[in-house]
Amino acid sequence: MKPYRIAVLPGDGIGPEIVREAVKVLGVVAERTGVRFDLHEGLVGGGAYDRFGTPLPDETMQLALASDAVLLGAVGGPKWESLDYSVRPERGLLGLRSGLGLYANLRPVVVFEDLIDASPLKPDVVRGIDLMIVRELLGDAYFGKPRGVRIENGLRIGINTMVYTEEEIRRIAKTAFDLAQTRRKKLLSVDKANVLEMTELWRDVVTEVGRDYPEVELRHMYVDNCAMQLIRNPGQFDVIVTTNMFGDILSDEASMLTGSLGMIPSASLGAKTAMYEPSHGSAPDIAGKGIANPLATILSVAMMLRHSFDRTAEADQIEKAVRMVLKEGFRTEDISQAGARIVGTTEMGDLVVERLRAFSG
Ligand code: NAD
């Protein structure tokens, strides 16, 4: 079988530490299945700027474009905060997203039973939560024109434009319906159609796409109500699809249902090469200390196997191995609880690897 080509971009801060553990997990999957992964490392973010004067060197973009998937750690840190916006590490990430045409960001929000106390909400509200936010990533006010701040009649005026074409809405809706079909077959589309015409179009197009998915139950909700319902009764949701800006806000809100940033993976899907990364940043405050939680990055590898390589069984096993390690009481410091056995980044990676190796078949 042809090997899968993966661009590995560790990035800055804790990026290299957590990506190392995720790569170990990929190694075990290769051992157990005979599937080959060709890994090619590249520079992105602050480290790339230091070496090449740009956070996204051409070489890295070409590497990503020629790969079947990208595994990214995180970028950024105080060292690069005073740089011009055009060369900040985070620009490297945006460049990768637009260069790869990654229009759908998937962020699963899963409350692990053994981490239920980490949530700021009551256990009864968050127990068993397993939802997926599908955020459109390449449109809306983040890219719409006109934009900017200018002076009119001696006063400053700030402008951004919310814009979506019918095709952009259709493709993200299809991604969400396809996903809902593999889950509990419930899709919620979030908009503000009572006030914003752009999202009226959003609602119409999502409804049209839904006619091709009769088995998926489609509901619509205004974003303000959804923000409230996510706290009041998050168990009612399976897949949520929404615009770039609403998704930006709702996915951060939803991630806090779990209470642990170090546990949330993400996938960004496009036409071909998808990118997988933890939802957290480069955590410069703990970089180099060997205490970063690698589980979000390891869970991102599970998403890669599921969404890019169609290896559902292996993805399930990685998630199962993570649950086992948590059940046995092992914790990195960020998710520590009374009575927990605190381990560092490498040890946590080793534990997942050991549990994976122990599965038969
Ligand atoms: P952050 O997510 O890096 O850190 C927030 C807090 O969570 C910190 O206390 C950190 O120690 C902790 N934390 C995060 N991930 C952890 C992990 N895996 N294990 C243990 N603790 C963890 O957010 P921030 O501090 O706002 O940003 C730091 C840098 O990261 C900034 O330069 C920011 O621009 C960048 N950033 C990058 C991405 C990305 O690469 N996708 C995302 C967000 C922020």
Side-chain angles (χ1 to χ4, degrees):
M1 204 204 303
K2 208 169 133 263
Y4 293 117
R5 194 180 153 93
I6 302 174
V8 178
L9 312 178
D12 309 314
I14 59 170
E17 302 165 48
I18 52 179
V19 165
R20 198 175 303 131
E21 301 313 308
V23 166
K24 277 185 347 202
V25 169
L26 264 178
V28 183
V29 173
E31 254 171 47
R32 290 167 44 79
T33 57
V35 174
R36 282 189 297 143
F37 300 109
D38 268 357
L39 308 183
H40 300 268
E41 216 170 281
L43 284 176
V44 69
Y49 174 81
D50 288 347
R51 181 116 176 252
F52 298 107
T54 165
L56 182 58
D58 273 354
E59 215 175 278
T60 303
M61 192 64 239
Q62 292 312 321
L63 169 64
L65 283 167
S67 299
D68 297 308
V70 176
L71 176 65
L72 184 111
V75 298
K79 182 178 174 195
W80 302 283
E81 264 165 21
S82 54
L83 290 176
D84 185 76
Y85 270 103
S86 62
V87 288
R88 290 249 185 113
E90 293 75 8
R91 278 271 139 198
L93 203 56
L94 295 181
L96 274 170
R97 283 179 187 159
S98 56
L100 293 171
L102 304 177
Y103 61 84
N105 181 249
L106 274 52
R107 205 188 274 195
V109 178
V110 176
V111 174
F112 292 86
E113 181 63 27
D114 293 286
L115 294 182
I116 207 157
D117 292 332
S119 174
L121 299 189
K122 291 185 190 127
D124 282 353
V125 175
V126 294
R127 176 160 286 121
I129 292 301
D130 177 2
L131 64 90
M132 177 77 85
I133 305 225
V134 180
R135 166 189 170 196
E136 202 291 331
L137 213 52
L138 292 180
D140 205 353
Y142 295 23
F143 294 89
K145 289 188 177 137
R147 62 185 300 152
V149 178
R150 60 173 193 254
I151 307 228
E152 267 182 28
N153 303 324
L155 289 173
R156 284 172 300 167
I157 170 169
I159 299 171
N160 285 100
T161 305
M162 288 180 129
V163 57
Y164 270 118
T165 65
E166 192 175 342
E167 290 99 316
E168 286 171 328
I169 303 171
R170 190 162 282 121
R171 70 180 177 182
I172 188 80
K174 280 188 182 154
T175 302
F177 275 107
D178 284 340
L179 199 63
Q181 233 168 359
T182 66
R183 294 172 49 101
R184 299 194 299 279
K185 299 187 172 50
K186 280 165 58 175
L187 178 63
L188 179 83
S189 173
V190 176
D191 59 41
K192 187 74 183 163
N194 50 343
V195 182
L196 301 170
E197 289 84 347
M198 185 272 278
T199 66
E200 213 175 275
L201 176 68
W202 176 279
R203 186 176 282 219
D204 288 347
V205 176
V206 172
T207 306
E208 285 161 28
V209 174
R211 294 194 189 114
D212 293 333
Y213 296 85
E215 62 280 33
V216 176
E217 178 205 320
L218 171 66
R219 276 201 302 153
H220 302 274
M221 194 177 273
Y222 298 139
V223 62
D224 40 351
N225 187 20
C226 183
M228 185 266 281
Q229 295 292 340
L230 269 171
I231 303 297
R232 195 182 75 87
N233 177 18
Q236 66 184 292
F237 301 124
D238 179 17
V239 179
I240 298 178
V241 63
T242 190
T243 61
N244 200 348
M245 187 174 352
F246 296 160
D248 190 358
I249 299 164
L250 292 179
S251 60
D252 266 28
E253 182 192 358
S255 72
M256 274 302 106
L257 299 175
T258 73
S260 40
L261 201 54
M263 296 297 301
I264 302 177
S266 83
S268 299
L269 312 181
K272 181 185 164 268
T273 308
M275 186 156 86
Y276 300 86
E277 56 180 312
S279 294
H280 57 73
S282 59
D285 52 333
I286 57 165
K289 295 186 177 163
I291 58 171
N293 183 350
L295 293 178
T297 320
I298 289 173
L299 292 168
S300 299
V301 163
M303 290 191 88
M304 179 189 290
L305 291 167
R306 183 172 289 125
H307 295 286
S308 283
F309 305 147
D310 213 11
R311 310 283 312 191
T312 309
E314 288 75 21
D316 287 348
Q317 284 181 346
I318 293 175
E319 288 162 1
K320 191 172 156 196
V322 168
R323 281 178 203 277
M324 283 172 74
V325 170
L326 293 174
K327 195 160 204 51
E328 290 163 37
F330 295 105
R331 302 281 187 274
T332 43
E333 263 177 33
D334 57 308
I335 50 172
S336 70
Q337 292 163 297
R341 297 148 84 177
I342 304 295
V343 294
T345 312
T346 312
E347 205 178 345
M348 185 54 103
D350 288 343
L351 284 161
V352 175
V353 160
E354 275 167 32
R355 300 300 172 272
L356 256 184
R357 283 213 175 99
F359 294 146
S360 60

